[in-house]
Amino acid sequence: MKLVRYGEFGRERPGLIDDQGVLRDLSAVVPDIAGDTLLPEGLARLRGLDPKTLPAVSGAPRFGACVGGVGKFVCVGLNYTDHAAESGMPIPEEPVLFMKPTNCIVGPYDHVEIPRGSQKTDWEVELGIVIGKAAKYVSKENAYEHVAGYCIVNDVSERAFQLEHGGQWDKGKGCDTFGPVGPWLVTTDEIPDPHVLDMWLEVDGKRYQNGSTRTMIFDVPTIVSYISRFMSLQPGDIISTGTPPGVGLGQKPPVYLKAGQTMHLFIDGLGEQKQTTVPAA
């Protein structure tokens, strides 16, 4: 299934995309694509529906983040061998974790703000994991049981804030609009192997990132199991699993975003995102 949230910011409604690409409203079935809806029994209930019996949504409504009520937005840094190399950092022996605050979450086509004083705003296309069942001290063998599905994440980053202001990556990761998520949550039955997905990112039509989840250092079950050792994961939590090479920081010389540019992202089976950059209000 492809589950979505659509409508104006803060008032999104739940929906799904049927086999013909038609947006169908789920408001009479579930309150949101969040919480209990993402439990295995919640997803089984949605799979049992005939999409043709759901109201079709007319027009072209805004798509919000594909998951609502996100409690935690956990990220894995330097999780691609070639990205670690372009960043000039050693390949980690264990997953590098940091958090993006949930205030950064926006829809896949919403504007991305260039923060005040920013000179080094950067892009990162990433595979997102959406948790479907609470996870605490789970084994790698059982980790997939706790995954509801996958989505695209743009881990927008301000490199000077991240690396040049006294440490702690979170400073450069959590600015408002720095977490476009979606367009849809694709359930695990449609993505049997998340480690063979091609992905790319373009800025103003120029392709900078052109990679694959095949080069991830730590795979999905390892990541879910590892994080669950340090914090419990709840339905709707998002894990962003790292980015392939081609970020602005890694260009020679580095290239960073300016207001008025367009980012275009793609991951096999998960759809596309597109954002225009604007000055922060």
Side-chain angles (χ1 to χ4, degrees):
M1 291 184 294
K2 294 180 175 66
L3 302 176
V4 301
R5 300 170 70 248
Y6 69 96
E8 62 183 274
F9 186 85
R11 300 179 64 182
E12 292 91 349
R13 298 163 65 92
L16 62 78
I17 306 296
D18 70 16
D19 291 340
Q20 285 70 49
V22 176
L23 172 59
R24 302 279 180 171
D25 182 60
L26 280 172
S27 298
V29 183
V30 294
D32 200 355
I33 306 302
D36 290 349
T37 300
L38 299 171
L39 292 170
E41 54 268 32
L43 295 179
R45 180 188 179 199
L46 295 183
R47 287 192 188 96
L49 299 173
D50 179 356
K52 295 179 181 177
T53 66
L54 301 170
V57 179
S58 61
R62 168 188 173 269
F63 277 12
C66 59
V67 185
V70 178
K72 290 189 290 299
F73 196 168
V74 189
C75 300
V76 183
L78 304 174
N79 193 34
Y80 285 67
T81 53
D82 27 19
H83 173 57
E86 75 172 349
S87 300
M89 298 183 182
I91 294 175
E93 296 182 4
E94 297 186 31
V96 175
L97 302 182
F98 63 92
M99 309 285 281
K100 288 176 83 80
T102 56
N103 65 275
C104 77
I105 295 174
V106 292
Y109 309 112
D110 291 342
H111 291 336
V112 166
E113 296 181 356
I114 304 296
R116 295 181 184 180
S118 168
Q119 298 295 322
K120 298 181 180 181
T121 297
D122 204 348
W123 55 82
E124 295 188 18
V125 59
E126 304 201 0
L127 170 70
I129 303 168
V130 178
I131 297 298
K133 184 173 74 171
K136 184 176 182 179
Y137 299 121
V138 300
S139 67
K140 287 192 288 186
E141 292 72 22
N142 295 328
Y144 280 123
E145 298 174 9
H146 300 266
V147 177
Y150 306 97
C151 62
I152 302 174
V153 173
N154 188 355
D155 176 21
V156 186
S157 309
E158 212 297 341
R159 301 302 187 187
F161 297 176
Q162 176 188 356
L163 302 171
E164 301 170 19
H165 286 263
Q168 298 300 322
W169 286 12
D170 300 42
K171 295 175 186 175
K173 297 286 189 173
C175 301
D176 289 353
T177 75
F178 269 26
V181 174
W184 38 67
L185 163 60
V186 182
T187 51
T188 55
D189 54 299
E190 292 200 18
I191 308 292
D193 186 353
H195 309 108
V196 293
L197 306 180
D198 292 334
M199 57 208 305
W200 51 256
L201 182 146
E202 298 175 347
V203 179
D204 292 342
K206 178 176 179 178
R207 187 160 299 185
Y208 284 95
Q209 292 189 273
N210 196 14
S212 170
T213 55
R214 293 174 179 84
T215 65
M216 290 171 64
I217 299 167
F218 304 105
D219 62 13
V220 167
T222 299
I223 289 168
V224 172
S225 175
Y226 184 85
I227 294 173
S228 77
R229 291 167 48 191
F230 302 100
M231 64 192 82
S232 62
L233 295 166
Q234 306 301 322
D237 285 350
I238 298 172
I239 303 171
S240 201
T241 59
T243 198
V247 299
L249 176 68
Q251 305 303 310
K252 301 191 184 303
V255 177
Y256 297 112
L257 293 164
K258 305 181 296 292
Q261 296 188 293
T262 299
M263 291 179 282
H264 188 188
L265 297 70
F266 167 87
I267 299 181
D268 275 344
L270 302 182
E272 301 184 23
Q273 294 187 358
K274 187 174 285 189
Q275 302 102 28
T276 299
T277 55
V278 298

